[in-house]
C-alpha cells in the first residue's frame, strides 16, 4: 500500500512538472496545442493523486478510466487541430 501511494505520487509529480512546462510554452507562443497538453497532464496528475489516496484495487473503477479517456482525448484533439491547419 505504501509503495503504491509513493509511486502514484511520483507519477503525479512528474505529470505536474510536464504540465507546467507546457503551460510555459503556451504562455510564450499562445498555441492551443500546448494548452491542451498542459490540461491533459494536469488531469493525469489529478487522477494519480486520487489513485494514491484510494486502495490499489479501485484502479479499475470507471471514474479513473473516464478521466484517462478525457486526458488522452485532449491530446488527440491537440494533434488533430495542429495537423488540420486551424489557426491557434
Amino acid at each position: 500500500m505504501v509503495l503504491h501511494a509513493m509511486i502514484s505520487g511520483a507519477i503525479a509529480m512528474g505529470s505536474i512538472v510536464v504540465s507546467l512546462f507546457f503551460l510555459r510554452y503556451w504562455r510564450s507562443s499562445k498555441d492551443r496545442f500546448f494548452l491542451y497538453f498542459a490540461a491533459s497532464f494536469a488531469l493525469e496528475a489529478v487522477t494519480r493523486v486520487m489513485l494514491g489516496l484510494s486502495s490499489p484495487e479501485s484502479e479499475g473503477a470507471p471514474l479513473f478510466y473516464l478521466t484517462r479517456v478525457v486526458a488522452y482525448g485532449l491530446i488527440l484533439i491537440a494533434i488533430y487541430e495542429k495537423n488540420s491547419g486551424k489557426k491557434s
Side-chain angles (χ1 to χ4, degrees), residues 20-80:
L20 291 174
F21 273 112
F22 279 121
L23 274 177
R24 185 179 74 179
Y25 296 137
W26 172 73
R27 285 183 59 200
S28 64
S29 70
K30 297 297 183 207
D31 189 353
R32 279 193 312 197
F33 178 80
F34 296 121
L35 186 62
Y36 284 136
F37 268 77
S40 176
F41 279 99
L43 190 56
E44 180 65 27
V46 169
T47 303
R48 290 298 173 169
V49 168
M50 290 187 326
L51 276 170
L53 296 175
S54 65
S55 66
E57 295 82 29
S58 67
E59 188 170 353
L63 175 66
F64 297 124
Y65 283 116
L66 180 64
T67 56
R68 287 179 182 161
V69 166
V70 171
Y72 299 145
L74 285 171
I75 291 174
L76 290 175
I77 290 169
I79 292 170
Y80 175 77

